[in-house]
Amino acid sequence: MPRVKAMTTGSIPSFLDVILNFAESDTSSTLASQDTWPVQLRRKPGGKLVMYGDDTWLKLFPGTFERADGTSSFFVSDFTEVDNNVTRHVPSELKQTDWNGMIMHYLGLDHIGHKTGPNSSNMLPKQIEMDGIVKQIYESIVTEPHLKSTLLVLAGDHGMNDAGNHGGSAPGETSPALVFISPKLEQISSGSDCPAKSPEDDFQYYTTVEQSDIVPTLAALLGFPIPLNNLGVLIPAFLSFWRHEETRTSMLNENVAQMSTILKAAYGASNLEQLPREEDCISPATVIDRLSCKLAFAIEHLSDSKRNYSESLIATMSFLRLAQEEMSSAASDYDVSKLYWGILLSAVAFILSLIAAVPHLRNDLTSLSFFSSTVVAYAVMMFASSYVEEEQQFWYWIMSGWLGILALKSINQKGAWSLASSSLFIGTLAVSRVIRCWNQTGQKHAGSDDIARGFLLSHKSILWVLVIAMYLDLFRRISRSGLPRIPRQAALIGAVAVSLAGFAFKVAFTKADAPELLPNLREIILKALQDATLVTQARTVFLGLAFHTAFILYQKCTASQMKPLRGLEIALPLHDLLTLFIVTQSRLTNIPLFLLFEIQFQLLLSASSSPPASASGISQTSSSPSDILLTTFLLQTTSFFATGNSNAISSIDLSNAYNGVSGYNAGAVGLLTFISNWAAPIWWASASALIIIKTEGERAKRIEVWRMYLTMCTVFVAAHLVAVTLACTVLRTHLFIWTVFSPKFLFSVAWSLGMHLLINIGMVGAVIMVAE
């Protein structure tokens, strides 16, 4: 949506458009009342538009198209039908004579990039398919008399990085292709070398223009006024299309007049209308002075017919490019007072939480020192764009360092238990090293070889062995405690039903979402599932989980004669059911990660347990609750990145956002999106609850440890918000404010509201209270 806005209005989209791009039901971002080239085309005599493809166009331009067939862009597993739905209309529309503009927005290449990356085996066949469509349209332009004055514009609204995503600042993401095609253009261009020579700079194959430059160029070529809010510049290469210099000058004059109108609205008409003195333009002191001088210089050249045209072109382009640069950087209207209020409120929350946390951590100087250092280092890191883009590296090193400290701390204790405890932390560190290699993320290494996209993709049998092992482990755990206090046979039936339903759904979902991951026997596996839709299968899983959860809570509330369920008797089955739900909401290649998380959890649980009595009488102690809970807190953030997430909007995974949802529902889709992207941190939050419940037997101590965990999380979240909000305020004019810092702010809000309030406070607190 944001780039489509830029390509139709010539203006700079707001960051809100990026957020609304995820809301399929959004109608607030319509361009129906704005001046755009589709509206200008429609206003021309006999103007009719048709559109096929991405239904974003239908949301942006309601009621604009005579004929249209839109397709949702969020079902990224579809490489074929989304494009066939466009192509099937092409032959008939090329025969029609009633339209003067046809928009075709193909989605296949974008979907392939999101699913399997730019180097996918699906990419070249799709590019060849698109080449065929271009050839078909061009041949019709050449042969059909009613299309002889048709202009074909082949454009990408965005590119992609090495991982196939977009929304960041990598060269591949910000360098989409643009080609103007028409037999009439042969008089000004003999074409370009193809394939192009390898460029010295990334993706700079031919001439580079701004995406907004499309708008005034279309206005000139198709003969309609430049849209009012345009910040684009007429592409100079097209000026030679008009033989007479007077016509070229007129085109430039229109662009200058339209751009100066925007400048006068932004800086005040009096500042630009007053002619500057010649000596003031030798070294202009302010931006307004520079703009005023260049505007006066451009008008002087354009109004004097005796001036050399080349000099006039240089003067005009100098003004237009400067105006474009300044207005693009100033396109956002900040309410700085609200930013300051945000910083103040976050700072107050930080101070209050810090006061509450000190009494809990002051008795453990190791935890206090390391936690404080982590908070400070993280806050400082938020002011560097490269560190924000590669935040996962910070957490990987912090996690490794902390586990190393715990291992050394255990060795320094006396007794045989110290070596055993140390080995538990070393084992946790070793598993962390494997987890770290599972998904390459961030900006620099996105798309590099890793376990998920490299090894498992080429060893599908191993992937499915690990997936089946995960579901078998879940079956074992749910059958053991999922339906407490009922006959063993009934518990087994319930466990088989919910586990098998979860596995069957994941297999069927993989067939639709990533069929390349299925083994050769997929038809045999899927035969029993062919009559059930994915929505029905997902709902079956969710209903099974809801039934088990309700039964556990019922047993808790109604046990009168028997001893009520308490502690791990109720918390452990709830954790196992949550694990099955989270696995259902996770990508197939990430499911084995939860086996590794379980190994880490069991190692930490052993380290937190009381050691056996020493035969020599030497006092031996387990790791302190603050040590273990700080570890699980760090694992929440580390696991978020290990599952392939980053601070880029493009890394948000929507593939599981519609599980069990038949139509777009903002609440359900939003919740499922959060759960699928924060699946690993949610799992570790639940694991933290188990550790709190198991390591402290008495209710008062249990609540005290939970409060310590809660204050520790709150301190970090508050410090996090202070740092990110302050960075966005201080760096609001930074080059990467919209591509790096603003997305980080959105993720910070999700961590604060979703992960901290909803999960660490709400869910963990509820489990601990229910376990009493």
Side-chain angles (χ1 to χ4, degrees):
M1 180 189 294
R3 302 325 310 169
V4 172
K5 277 193 170 185
M7 295 169 68
T8 54
T9 65
S11 60
I12 305 300
S14 70
F15 193 68
L16 181 62
D17 295 321
V18 179
I19 304 171
L20 294 176
N21 193 42
F22 290 97
E24 285 198 76
S25 61
D26 171 59
T27 58
S28 62
S29 51
T30 175
L31 296 178
S33 61
Q34 294 191 34
D35 194 7
T36 61
W37 64 256
V39 173
Q40 293 282 11
L41 268 182
R42 194 165 182 263
R43 287 174 181 169
K44 296 188 71 173
K48 290 183 180 180
L49 299 179
V50 296
M51 195 291 300
Y52 301 103
D54 189 347
D55 60 3
T56 297
W57 291 85
L58 300 180
K59 301 174 197 172
L60 292 176
F61 301 98
T64 300
F65 302 104
E66 190 75 13
R67 295 183 294 276
D69 191 357
T71 306
S72 174
S73 59
F74 284 98
F75 296 101
V76 297
S77 304
D78 182 5
F79 303 163
T80 306
E81 292 304 318
V82 287
D83 287 348
N84 290 345
N85 199 51
V86 179
T87 303
R88 68 189 179 92
H89 295 285
V90 172
S92 59
E93 287 294 352
L94 291 176
K95 297 292 183 181
Q96 297 287 342
T97 60
D98 63 337
W99 54 263
N100 65 343
M102 177 166 66
I103 297 167
M104 296 169 287
H105 193 145
Y106 284 89
L107 292 165
L109 281 170
D110 179 65
H111 288 188
I112 292 172
H114 281 298
K115 288 299 299 177
T116 55
N119 298 317
S120 164
S121 58
N122 297 305
M123 188 62 75
L124 183 58
K126 178 59 68 173
Q127 290 171 329
I128 293 174
E129 177 188 339
M130 293 297 102
D131 285 348
I133 302 300
V134 173
K135 180 181 179 182
Q136 179 184 2
I137 296 172
Y138 184 76
E139 288 178 345
S140 295
I141 293 174
V142 172
T143 57
E144 297 288 346
H146 66 283
L147 296 177
K148 64 180 181 179
S149 296
T150 298
L151 171 68
L152 171 61
V153 181
L154 179 66
D157 54 342
H158 56 74
M160 63 179 68
N161 59 21
D162 291 339
N165 296 321
H166 55 86
S169 57
E173 300 170 72
T174 58
S175 304
L178 174 64
V179 187
F180 289 79
I181 305 171
S182 173
K184 290 192 173 185
L185 294 178
E186 291 179 357
Q187 59 183 290
I188 63 170
S189 173
S190 59
S192 303
D193 293 335
C194 186
K197 298 178 181 178
S198 299
E200 295 182 2
D201 297 326
D202 289 339
F203 300 98
Q204 305 302 304
Y205 291 98
Y206 302 111
T207 304
T208 301
V209 300
E210 294 296 325
Q211 205 165 44
S212 56
D213 295 347
I214 296 174
V215 175
T217 304
L218 285 178
L221 292 172
L222 301 180
F224 56 78
I226 299 176
L228 297 175
N229 296 320
N230 164 69
L231 296 178
V233 176
L234 174 61
I235 299 174
F238 288 96
L239 287 168
S240 56
F241 184 71
W242 293 275
R243 292 194 180 96
H244 302 292
E245 290 186 358
E246 293 82 0
T247 308
R248 301 176 191 173
T249 301
S250 176
M251 297 292 180
L252 293 173
N253 251 324
E254 183 182 359
N255 204 174
V256 169
Q258 177 267 325
M259 192 75 82
S260 61
T261 301
I262 294 179
L263 290 173
K264 290 173 183 177
Y267 296 110
S270 60
N271 292 321
L272 291 169
E273 288 177 347
Q274 185 177 359
L275 293 176
R277 294 178 301 177
E278 186 174 347
E279 56 268 24
D280 293 336
C281 293
I282 296 175
S283 182
T286 65
V287 171
I288 296 178
D289 291 340
R290 292 174 61 202
L291 288 168
S292 180
C293 290
K294 287 185 178 292
L295 174 59
F297 197 50
I299 293 175
E300 180 184 345
H301 276 75
L302 292 173
S303 60
D304 188 353
S305 59
K306 296 180 180 180
R307 289 275 189 173
N308 180 275
Y309 170 72
S310 298
E311 293 179 359
S312 298
L313 178 61
I314 293 173
T316 304
M317 286 297 154
S318 179
F319 162 71
L320 290 173
R321 289 301 180 194
L322 177 62
Q324 182 183 53
E325 178 184 349
E326 293 300 329
M327 292 306 299
S328 296
S329 63
S332 298
D333 184 16
Y334 299 98
D335 189 341
V336 180
S337 63
K338 291 182 179 179
L339 294 174
Y340 290 150
W341 273 110
I343 296 171
L344 178 61
L345 293 175
S346 301
V348 170
F350 171 68
I351 293 171
L352 293 177
S353 60
L354 189 61
I355 294 172
V358 170
H360 294 292
L361 296 175
R362 65 185 176 187
N363 295 326
D364 191 335
L365 292 179
T366 304
S367 297
L368 179 60
S369 301
F370 191 87
F371 179 68
S372 302
S373 301
T374 300
V375 171
V376 172
Y378 185 80
V380 173
M381 189 181 74
M382 290 300 98
F383 290 83
S385 61
S386 297
Y387 283 108
V388 173
E389 289 178 327
E390 304 297 330
E391 184 182 334
Q392 76 282 357
Q393 301 295 346
F394 173 83
W395 291 112
Y396 291 154
W397 282 104
I398 288 293
M399 188 74 252
S400 299
W402 175 240
L403 290 173
I405 289 173
L406 290 180
L408 293 174
K409 184 179 178 182
S410 298
I411 290 176
N412 290 333
Q413 295 177 355
K414 297 180 180 180
W417 176 250
S418 64
L419 291 177
S421 179
S422 177
S423 65
L424 294 174
F425 291 118
I426 294 174
T428 306
L429 177 60
V431 177
S432 293
R433 191 64 185 87
V434 177
I435 292 172
R436 177 177 176 174
C437 299
W438 207 267
N439 286 288
Q440 290 286 1
T441 185
Q443 191 74 23
K444 186 176 180 181
H445 300 290
S448 301
D449 286 340
D450 52 32
I451 295 175
R453 286 186 292 263
F455 179 78
L456 293 180
L457 194 60
S458 56
H459 297 81
K460 300 181 184 65
S461 298
I462 295 177
L463 169 63
W464 281 98
V465 167
L466 293 173
V467 171
I468 292 172
M470 182 69 215
Y471 279 98
L472 288 175
D473 182 59
L474 284 171
F475 161 72
R476 176 187 64 81
R477 288 151 57 182
I478 295 173
S479 65
R480 177 191 60 196
S481 57
L483 293 174
R485 295 177 178 172
I486 67 169
R488 176 68 175 170
Q489 292 81 358
L492 284 174
I493 292 174
V496 167
V498 71
S499 302
L500 188 59
F503 177 72
F505 167 73
K506 188 54 66 175
V507 173
F509 182 83
T510 303
K511 179 187 178 184
D513 183 67
E516 70 277 4
L517 293 176
L518 284 173
N520 294 328
L521 297 176
R522 60 182 180 271
E523 296 303 327
I524 298 176
I525 298 173
L526 294 165
K527 188 174 181 180
L529 308 174
Q530 57 188 358
D531 294 331
T533 65
L534 285 176
V535 172
T536 301
Q537 293 181 57
R539 289 177 177 175
T540 301
V541 178
F542 296 161
L543 287 173
L545 292 171
F547 169 78
H548 277 71
T549 303
F551 184 84
I552 294 170
L553 297 177
Y554 174 79
Q555 290 279 18
K556 166 71 177 178
C557 297
T558 61
S560 56
Q561 298 180 350
M562 294 182 293
K563 180 181 178 181
L565 295 174
R566 285 182 177 174
L568 292 179
E569 287 180 316
I570 189 170
L572 194 57
L574 290 176
H575 174 75
D576 294 337
L577 293 172
L578 175 68
T579 302
L580 179 54
F581 176 56
I582 284 174
V583 165
T584 303
Q585 287 300 117
S586 299
R587 294 197 302 266
L588 183 76
T589 52
N590 281 341
I591 290 178
L593 276 174
F594 291 92
L595 283 174
L596 299 178
F597 294 157
E598 181 67 22
I599 293 173
Q600 287 185 312
F601 171 65
Q602 294 299 332
L603 291 172
L604 292 175
L605 206 59
S606 299
S608 67
S609 301
S610 298
S614 172
S616 61
I618 298 176
S619 176
Q620 303 181 92
T621 59
S622 62
S623 297
S624 68
S626 59
D627 286 347
I628 300 301
L629 292 176
L630 177 55
T631 305
T632 59
F633 167 75
L634 294 175
L635 284 169
Q636 287 184 30
T637 50
T638 305
S639 63
F640 173 78
F641 295 102
T643 50
N645 295 300
S646 71
N647 288 322
I649 296 293
S650 57
S651 68
I652 296 177
D653 181 16
L654 295 172
S655 60
N656 289 288
Y658 292 86
N659 290 346
V661 182
S662 57
Y664 182 76
N665 180 292
V669 171
L671 180 61
L672 291 174
T673 299
F674 172 75
I675 292 171
S676 60
N677 286 274
W678 270 263
I682 292 172
W683 190 93
W684 275 111
S686 178
S688 301
L690 296 184
I691 291 176
I692 292 172
I693 292 170
K694 182 174 182 182
T695 54
E696 298 294 338
E698 297 181 9
R699 184 179 185 277
K701 288 186 177 180
R702 187 179 297 172
I703 298 300
E704 181 68 17
V705 172
W706 176 62
R707 287 175 178 170
M708 177 189 67
Y709 169 77
L710 191 59
T711 53
M712 181 170 56
C713 293
T714 305
V715 167
F716 177 79
V717 168
H720 179 180
L721 283 176
V722 171
V724 173
T725 309
L726 186 59
C728 288
T729 303
V730 173
L731 302 174
R732 60 186 180 274
T733 59
H734 193 280
L735 178 64
F736 295 145
I737 183 63
W738 295 124
T739 55
V740 177
F741 295 105
S742 292
K744 175 58 185 174
F745 178 78
L746 289 182
F747 276 95
S748 300
V749 171
W751 275 102
S752 304
L753 298 181
M755 191 62 211
H756 184 57
L757 291 180
L758 184 64
I759 304 299
N760 277 322
I761 294 179
M763 186 191 77
V764 174
V767 171
I768 292 173
M769 294 303 171
V770 168
E772 295 301 326

